Amino acid sequence: MHNAAFRELKVNAEYRLFPLRVEQLDEFFNDLRRMDSPIFGLNVTVPYKEKVIPFLDNLAPFALKARAVNTIVISKERQLKGYNTDGPGFLAHLADLGVSTQGTRVAIMGAGGASRAIISVLCLIPQRPESIRIYDIEHHKAQQLLDDLAEQIDVSIVKAVPSIEDLNVELSDLLINATPIGLKESDPFLFDPELLHAHLMVYDLIYNPAETPLLKIAREKGGRTANGLGMLFYQGVLAFQHWADMELDEKVKKRMWTSLEKGMNDD
Ligand code: NAP
C-alpha cells in the first residue's frame, strides 16, 4: 500500500522489509543516524514495538502513553521520533463502520502488542467504554499489561480476567480478537460459540483469512462483524501521513486500499 502511494504521488521511494534479529537492532539504529542513510521512515512490527523505544529521541504523546511504537519518522537532522498508529487506526476503522464505543462493554482476547494499543486508545478517548475485560492464555500477561498501562493512563475501566468465561461474552457489546487464533483453519474456538449473540459486534484483528471461524459464526448469529483489514489500512495511512508530514487525499488513499485488497487476494 505504501509503494502504491509513492507511485500515485510520483515520489521516488521504496517501502521494503528489513528482517532483523534482536542482536542487529543496535547496528541498524546506529546506521539510521548516519547523514547518508537513505531511510526516512519505518514501521515496526511484532516483537519490536516496545524494544525500539530506547533507540528513539522522542515519542509522540500517544506512543508515550501506550509505550509501543509502530511508526518512526526520521528528520533531515537524523532525529528519530516514534508514533503509534495502531490504536488510532483501529478507532478510524470503527468510525468508518459507524461504531461508537461510548458506554459499551468491551471484551478483548489477547494481551499482546495490538491489544495494548487498542486498550490505550479506548481508555483515552472521550467516548470511553463502560468496561473493558481482557483475557490472555497467560493471565499474568494481561495483568502485567494493565499494571504497565496504569502508570500512564487511567485504566480504571479495565479488568484482567483469569478465564475466558470471565470475559462475559454473553453480556458484551464488542468482542475483539487480538490473538493469532483463527489464522489457521484448524485453530480451536476459544469459547462456547453459543455465547455469541445478535447484539454483539465482533472485531477480529486477523484479516487473512478475511472471515475467521469466529467471524463466520458471529455473522450467522446475526451480529455485526469486521476483520482487521480496515485497521491495517488506517494505521498505514496515518503512518504515511507522519512520514510525509501531510494529509493524503482521497485518490491516494483509494490507491492504497486497492493495493492492500489486491495483496490479500493474491495471497
Ligand atoms: P502478540 O503480541 O503475539 O499478542 C497476542 C497475544 O495473544 C499473546 O499475549 C498471546 O499469548 C495471546 N494468545 C495466544 N493464544 C491465545 C489463546 N488461545 N487465548 C488467549 N490468548 C492467546 O501479537 P499482536 O501483535 O498483538 O497481534 C495479535 C493479532 O492481531 C495477530 O493475529 C496479528 O496478526 C493481528 N494484528 C492485526 C493488526 C491489524 O492492523 N489488523 C495489527 C496488529 C496485529 P502468547 O504470547 O503466550 O502466545
Side-chain angles (χ1 to χ4, degrees), residues 45-47 49-50 70 85-86 89-90 93 108-118 135-138 140-142 145 164 177-183 188-190 203-208 227-236:
T45 191
V46 71
K49 291 183 183 181
E50 291 161 68
N70 78 326
T85 67
D86 285 328
F90 171 75
H93 188 205
I108 305 183
M109 302 185 287
S115 182
R116 168 185 284 268
I118 289 174
Y135 162 75
D136 193 279
I137 193 151
E138 292 183 62
H140 74 93
K141 273 180 89 174
L145 170 60
I164 192 108
N177 178 33
T179 77
I181 304 296
L183 281 172
F189 218 82
L190 292 182
Y203 193 105
D204 200 326
L205 263 65
I206 294 172
Y207 41 81
N208 193 7
N227 70 27
L229 197 62
M231 174 175 168
L232 182 70
F233 169 70
Y234 281 112
Q235 66 74 31

Side-chain angles (χ1 to χ4, degrees), residues 15 62 95 111 113 143 150 158 193 235 256 264:
Y15 182 87
F62 179 63
Q143 191 55 54
V158 192
Q235 66 74 31
M256 293 170 90
M264 292 300 131

Side-chain angles (χ1 to χ4, degrees), residues 32-77:
L32 275 185
R33 304 244 173 219
R34 292 170 53 136
M35 294 310 280
D36 60 352
S37 168
I39 301 173
F40 284 90
L42 289 164
N43 277 137
V44 182
T45 191
V46 71
Y48 294 134
K49 291 183 183 181
E50 291 161 68
K51 290 197 177 76
V52 297
I53 291 177
F55 294 98
L56 306 179
D57 297 302
N58 52 63
L59 296 178
F62 179 63
L64 185 64
K65 287 199 154 68
R67 288 205 192 148
V69 162
N70 78 326
T71 300
I72 300 174
V73 175
I74 302 151
S75 70
K76 282 199 188 81
E77 297 75 32

Side-chain angles (χ1 to χ4, degrees), residues 78-96:
R78 310 310 295 173
Q79 290 283 300
L80 275 53
K81 182 167 180 180
Y83 295 82
N84 184 310
T85 67
D86 285 328
F90 171 75
L91 271 193
H93 188 205
L94 283 191
D96 223 16

Side-chain angles (χ1 to χ4, degrees), residues 181-182 184-191 213:
I181 304 296
K184 291 190 280 185
E185 221 174 300
S186 57
D187 281 343
F189 218 82
L190 292 182
F191 57 88

